[in-house]
Amino acid sequence: MIENRRQVRTDGTGNADILETAAQCFMEQGFSATSIDDVARRLGATKGRIYHYYSSKTDLFFDVHREGMERLFQAVEPVMGIEGTGVVRLRAMLTAHAMAMMANAAFEAVVVQGVHMHRMAATTPDQRRTLDDLIAIRRRFESLFKQVLQEGVDDGSIRNVDISISAKAMLGAINWLSVWYRPAPDETEADRQMLAERIVTTQIDGIRS
Amino acid sequence: MIENRRQVRTDGTGNADILETAAQCFMEQGFSATSIDDVARRLGATKGRIYHYYSSKTDLFFDVHREGMERLFQAVEPVMGIEGTGVVRLRAMLTAHAMAMMANAAFEAVVVQGVHMHRMAATTPDQRRTLDDLIAIRRRFESLFKQVLQEGVDDGSIRNVDISISAKAMLGAINWLSVWYRPAPDETEADRQMLAERIVTTQIDGIRS
DNA sequence: GCAAGTGCATACTACCGAGTATGTTGTGAA
DNA sequence: TTCACAACATACTCGGTAGTATGCACTTGC
């Protein structure tokens, strides 16, 4: 039964709406301040609909978290393989990451919250496993940047910095977008691109040889 | 009556313990997941003690927030007036900020949460006013950095960057410490200094002329 | 056309947590 | 010594919320 609910995750009927709405609520009010009824009301539905797909509020949150991570990977991984030195590829990855943070503000805000929850007391063993999975995914994401950073150091395009600290600082500067970034009413893709490139340029110039 | 409770804020009897413990709880579990009973239990006391000093959970949170901001100001403002070019002073300020983030991890984690709450629905008009105050204080803190950034651009020690975006990115890289930094068991002041300087150096090198 | 399941809504329960009302004990001033 | 008040503890209330049990229309394979 629970396994069925898990599998429903990626089919695109009412589920995508639930995920999107839940992401909005979690972004605005946080996990524990958001009630299932809040999400349902915003959907124009009732709890029944949500509990039909998700067996608990925590599971719903985790699924939003997972979707947020998937979107980050889909944004960053493709540009990871482009031609160029380490610094060129890293710049492209960071820019893609920043763009994804803005394009999926709600989901990525949940991802940021999820990082905070790493120490959370996940009630059921099943949830604990899911949480550990998410932590591992997050680590893998960070290691993408560390890897290219290292390659940049090796090919001489990046200074000999502390990989781990530099990665955390750069990703921090970008992730911090989820704290202060709010889409302007008449904002275009080009505006976001400009913003992303300015942030990334500062970070890149801090480590380039 | 309420005014009395406000005034008690800075006397140092049991109040400081409440503030410290509350900061710990808010850091670990977040605002809404933390119950007053949680804080009381951790104090080895009961709700009565807390409600004797604070009229609501929100007020307690705001007071922790304010204390966190005060500590940041006390760390950064003194070094703002040192001798040197803009880039030299900015480096000192950022380093002091990073050190304060680590030294007061619990309080600063609450400050970060407070930023998220800017859109919160503060119930009473009194709380709304307090929240607006905190927002203003936060703006003033950010403007300290913007000011020195501008002076650095003017005296030629800093490149001609977008002041607002650069400030947010640099502060973001440092504030992100509250997400991933956890004090190591045998950590010394020197260790933290080393970490702070590495993060700050990357940021400074990104904007220096 | 019917049985079995899907996709919800409705109607509950049980509990937790914020805030309150009311003790109780110490303590300093007069 | 006593009175007033501070500094809590104890014992409640009551609204909100996660989760459940059940009902009900609608579809789909057979």
Side-chain angles (χ1 to χ4, degrees):
Chain A
M1 188 75 85
I2 295 173
E3 291 71 20
N4 275 341
R5 286 176 181 166
R6 274 269 183 82
Q7 287 164 7
V8 182
R9 208 174 50 74
T10 42
D11 74 355
T13 58
N15 214 320
D17 288 340
I18 294 179
L19 227 56
E20 182 73 39
T21 307
Q24 290 282 336
C25 291
F26 287 143
M27 170 179 64
E28 291 171 10
Q29 322 193 44
F31 172 72
S32 33
T34 298
S35 76
I36 295 285
D37 286 311
D38 285 342
V39 181
R41 201 168 350 196
R42 196 141 165 179
L43 271 169
T46 65
K47 307 166 78 136
R49 180 165 169 196
I50 295 174
Y51 277 103
H52 179 71
Y53 293 98
Y54 296 97
S55 56
S56 77
K57 180 179 160 184
T58 305
D59 281 358
L60 174 57
F61 181 85
F62 284 165
D63 207 22
V64 175
H65 189 298
R66 183 188 304 273
E67 174 68 19
M69 286 306 304
E70 268 175 25
R71 295 191 184 190
L72 287 185
F73 272 103
Q74 280 167 17
V76 169
E77 272 184 328
V79 306
M80 189 180 173
I82 64 174
E83 279 303 308
T85 61
V87 74
V88 168
R89 293 162 64 212
L90 184 63
R91 173 193 285 274
M93 287 168 69
L94 290 174
T95 305
H97 181 205
M99 291 297 286
M101 287 295 293
M102 292 185 274
N104 313 303
F107 284 94
E108 307 314 339
V110 170
V111 168
V112 170
Q113 277 184 66
V115 177
H116 273 284
M117 284 191 173
H118 283 185
R119 295 193 158 257
M120 197 179 91
T123 44
T124 78
D126 193 67
Q127 287 176 354
R128 170 45 70 185
R129 233 171 298 127
T130 306
L131 185 53
D132 288 341
D133 282 354
L134 289 172
I135 296 175
I137 291 176
R138 173 122 207 115
R139 284 235 172 76
R140 197 160 68 81
F141 183 72
E142 196 177 312
S143 77
L144 292 183
F145 293 88
K146 285 187 189 172
Q147 188 181 323
V148 177
L149 242 172
Q150 183 64 56
E151 291 171 13
V153 171
D154 292 343
D155 69 24
S157 62
I158 292 175
R159 237 178 298 163
N160 189 25
V161 294
D162 182 307
I163 300 291
S164 184
I165 294 180
S166 289
K168 277 178 163 50
M170 289 187 310
L171 291 177
I174 293 171
N175 288 333
W176 196 247
L177 273 168
S178 85
V179 173
W180 64 271
Y181 169 76
R182 294 291 175 270
D186 54 346
E187 194 178 75
T188 69
E189 173 101 0
D191 292 332
R192 286 200 291 270
Q193 187 78 31
M194 176 88 74
L195 176 56
E197 278 171 8
R198 283 193 174 158
I199 294 178
V200 171
T201 294
T202 300
Q203 298 303 311
I204 287 292
D205 287 345
I207 58 167
R208 85 153 21 117
S209 291
Chain B
M1 187 73 84
I2 294 174
E3 291 72 18
N4 276 341
R5 284 176 181 166
R6 275 267 183 84
Q7 286 162 8
V8 182
R9 207 173 51 75
T10 43
D11 75 354
T13 59
N15 213 320
D17 287 342
I18 294 178
L19 227 56
E20 182 73 38
T21 308
Q24 289 281 337
C25 292
F26 287 142
M27 171 179 65
E28 291 171 9
Q29 321 193 44
F31 172 73
S32 36
T34 298
S35 76
I36 295 286
D37 287 311
D38 285 342
V39 181
R41 200 168 348 191
R42 195 140 164 181
L43 271 169
T46 65
K47 306 166 81 132
R49 179 166 171 197
I50 295 174
Y51 277 103
H52 180 71
Y53 294 98
Y54 296 95
S55 57
S56 77
K57 180 179 161 184
T58 307
D59 281 359
L60 174 58
F61 181 85
F62 284 166
D63 207 22
V64 175
H65 189 296
R66 183 189 303 272
E67 173 69 19
M69 285 307 303
E70 268 175 25
R71 296 192 183 189
L72 288 184
F73 272 102
Q74 280 167 17
V76 169
E77 271 184 328
V79 306
M80 190 178 172
I82 64 175
E83 280 302 308
T85 60
V87 73
V88 168
R89 294 161 64 210
L90 184 64
R91 174 193 284 274
M93 288 168 68
L94 290 174
T95 306
H97 181 204
M99 290 297 286
M101 288 293 295
M102 290 185 275
N104 313 302
F107 284 94
E108 307 314 338
V110 170
V111 168
V112 170
Q113 276 185 66
V115 177
H116 273 286
M117 284 192 174
H118 283 187
R119 295 194 158 257
M120 196 178 90
T123 45
T124 77
D126 194 67
Q127 287 176 356
R128 171 42 72 184
R129 234 171 297 129
T130 307
L131 185 53
D132 288 341
D133 283 355
L134 289 172
I135 296 175
I137 291 175
R138 174 123 207 116
R139 283 235 173 78
R140 196 160 69 80
F141 183 73
E142 198 177 311
S143 77
L144 292 183
F145 293 89
K146 285 187 189 172
Q147 187 181 323
V148 177
L149 242 172
Q150 183 63 57
E151 292 170 12
V153 171
D154 292 343
D155 69 23
S157 62
I158 292 176
R159 236 178 299 164
N160 188 24
V161 294
D162 181 305
I163 300 290
S164 183
I165 294 178
S166 289
K168 277 178 162 51
M170 288 188 310
L171 291 177
I174 292 172
N175 288 333
W176 196 248
L177 272 167
S178 86
V179 173
W180 64 269
Y181 169 76
R182 293 291 175 272
D186 53 347
E187 193 178 75
T188 69
E189 173 100 0
D191 291 333
R192 286 199 291 270
Q193 188 77 33
M194 177 88 75
L195 176 55
E197 278 170 8
R198 282 192 175 158
I199 294 178
V200 171
T201 294
T202 300
Q203 298 303 311
I204 287 291
D205 287 345
I207 58 166
R208 87 153 20 118
S209 292

